[in-house]
């Protein structure tokens, strides 16, 4: 008997290669998965201007960064935006200024689609072959009310679907993190104490599903080869001045050096 539903993760037409240049921009869920990429030695930039929840603010981050990336993860949190009354502009961060200075609005499907389409155009102007992966954050926004939070997620999901329909070239994909958390992991043991944010176990499971479907054979080989070196570098010895530990570290660094020669972009 099966006691849970397994979310199908469609295999994209592209693959993530070892040590790629990766940008994560979006909600705090993007930060969680982005840290995994950093930990596994991908050249990764995560939310350089802070956490961004809505499509407009995500576009602002993409426009402000001029680096070339191989893969970009865009994690959408909400369709709610804050507009500064004095300028009429959407702000990315209210910087703890009084609420009376801002108007809160909800972006419709068409507006969300337009911001995401523009983000793709900016990224492709820098690298035509960039791989773009959309996700929707599974984190519920209690301050809106749970029903309203679900409506917000629905707008984002529909906007992503429309964006992808207009990019049938194969380099745009949707990874179902939202569905995995809400369908596969629908138990509070997979949440932090606030009962809203996925815990480390949930993040680890999503990482494993991502690696399984999206990573190339070469990237999976790299993870296997780097794992013992990573664990050795994280080891905290009882006596760091002992000859045994110094020899152990010398061997570890030699293994790391060999891997850096094998995998372009790996820095120790």
């Amino acid at each position: 008997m099966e006691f849970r539903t397994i979310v199908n993760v469609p295999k994209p037409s592209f693959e993530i290669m070892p040590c790629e240049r990766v940008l994560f921009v979006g909600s705090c869920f993007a930060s969680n998965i982005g840290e995994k990429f950093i930990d596994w030695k991908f050249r990764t930039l995560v939310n350089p201007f802070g956490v961004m929840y809505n499509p407009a603010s995500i576009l602002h981050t993409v426009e402000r960064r001029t680096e070339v990336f191989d893969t970009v993860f865009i994690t959408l949190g909400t369709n709610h935006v804050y507009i500064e009354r004095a300028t009429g502009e959407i702000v990315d961060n209210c910087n703890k200024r009084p609420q009376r200075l801002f108007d809160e609005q909800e972006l419709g499907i068409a507006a969300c689609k337009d911001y995401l389409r523009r983000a793709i155009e900016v990224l492709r102007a820098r690298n035509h072959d960039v791989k773009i992966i959309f996700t929707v954050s599974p984190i519920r926004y209690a301050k809106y009310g749970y029903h309203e939070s679900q409506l917000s997620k629905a707008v984002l999901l529909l906007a992503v679907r429309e964006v992808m329909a207009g990019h049938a070239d194969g380099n745009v994909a949707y990874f179902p993190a939202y569905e995995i958390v809400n369908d596969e992991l629908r138990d509070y043991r997979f949440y932090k104490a606030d009962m809203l944010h996925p815990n480390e176990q949930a993040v680890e499971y999503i990482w494993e599903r991502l690696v399984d479907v999206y990573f190339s054979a070469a990237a999976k080989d790299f993870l296997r080869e780097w794992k013992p070196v990573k664990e050795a570098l994280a080891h905290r010895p009882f006596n760091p001045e002992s000859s045994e530990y110094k020899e152990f570290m010398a061997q570890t660094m030699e293994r790391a050096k060999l891997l850096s020669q094998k995998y372009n972009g790996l820095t120790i």
Side-chain angles (χ1 to χ4, degrees):
M1 296 178 65
E2 286 289 343
F3 291 99
R4 64 175 179 143
T5 55
I6 303 297
V7 173
N8 177 52
V9 179
K11 189 171 182 61
S13 59
F14 58 80
E15 293 180 317
I16 295 175
M17 303 303 290
C19 308
E20 282 193 350
R21 300 163 296 180
V22 186
L23 171 66
F24 279 85
V25 57
S27 77
C28 50
F29 186 75
S31 300
N32 291 335
I33 299 300
E35 288 298 325
K36 287 286 187 183
F37 275 75
I38 292 173
D39 198 32
W40 286 97
K41 286 298 181 177
F42 287 81
R43 291 169 287 172
T44 306
L45 184 64
V46 180
N47 280 329
F49 304 111
V51 174
M52 301 293 164
Y53 296 97
N54 65 78
S57 295
I58 286 169
L59 171 62
H60 296 162
T61 292
V62 169
E63 290 174 330
R64 292 171 67 186
R65 300 302 302 199
T66 60
E67 302 96 325
V68 173
F69 296 99
D70 302 302
T71 299
V72 176
F73 283 81
I74 294 176
T75 299
L76 302 162
T78 179
N79 69 329
H80 287 239
V81 298
Y82 289 90
I83 299 175
E84 188 173 21
R85 291 180 178 178
T87 64
E89 299 291 331
I90 294 175
V91 297
D92 301 329
N93 193 317
C94 295
N95 295 315
K96 299 183 179 180
R97 289 181 288 170
Q99 177 68 44
R100 58 182 169 78
L101 300 179
F102 304 93
D103 289 320
E104 183 177 0
Q105 293 184 13
E106 296 179 43
L107 299 176
I109 296 170
C112 291
K113 175 186 174 182
D114 185 60
Y115 284 120
L116 298 177
R117 177 189 58 79
R118 289 161 59 188
I120 292 174
E121 289 176 354
V122 172
L123 292 166
R124 286 190 168 175
R126 298 168 187 156
N127 176 12
H128 182 266
D129 298 321
V130 64
K131 303 181 285 286
I132 299 168
I133 301 168
F134 286 109
T135 63
V136 171
S137 172
I139 299 167
R140 295 166 295 159
Y141 292 97
K143 69 177 183 178
Y144 301 149
Y146 294 117
H147 177 64
E148 290 76 8
S149 177
Q150 291 293 81
L151 292 175
S152 176
K153 303 291 186 183
V155 169
L156 299 173
L157 289 165
L158 289 168
V160 169
R161 185 180 70 171
E162 292 196 9
V163 168
M164 292 182 61
H167 290 82
D169 59 5
N171 264 18
V172 179
Y174 173 74
F175 179 78
Y178 176 82
E179 292 78 4
I180 289 172
V181 171
N182 286 285
D183 289 316
E184 283 196 48
L185 307 181
R186 50 184 176 186
D187 189 302
Y188 280 117
R189 75 178 185 271
F190 296 114
Y191 288 81
K192 292 183 178 179
D194 64 2
M195 297 296 129
L196 296 173
H197 290 75
N199 62 17
E200 292 181 6
Q201 189 177 19
V203 171
E204 181 66 27
Y205 179 74
I206 292 167
W207 161 254
E208 290 175 0
R209 296 294 306 276
L210 180 69
V211 168
D212 181 54
V213 179
Y214 275 62
F215 278 36
S216 66
K220 292 175 183 177
D221 287 342
F222 168 71
L223 296 186
R224 285 191 289 270
E225 292 182 75
W226 178 250
K227 182 178 180 181
V229 178
K230 174 175 173 288
E231 292 173 344
L233 292 173
H235 177 66
R236 294 294 178 265
F238 178 74
N239 181 8
E241 298 303 319
S242 67
S243 58
E244 292 84 358
Y245 178 70
K246 291 180 178 179
E247 176 63 23
F248 169 75
M249 285 305 299
Q251 293 175 359
T252 298
M253 294 306 297
E254 181 60 26
R255 292 175 67 184
K257 180 180 177 181
L258 291 174
L259 286 178
S260 69
Q261 294 170 352
K262 180 178 180 179
Y263 293 100
N264 183 39
L266 174 62
T267 57
I268 309 303

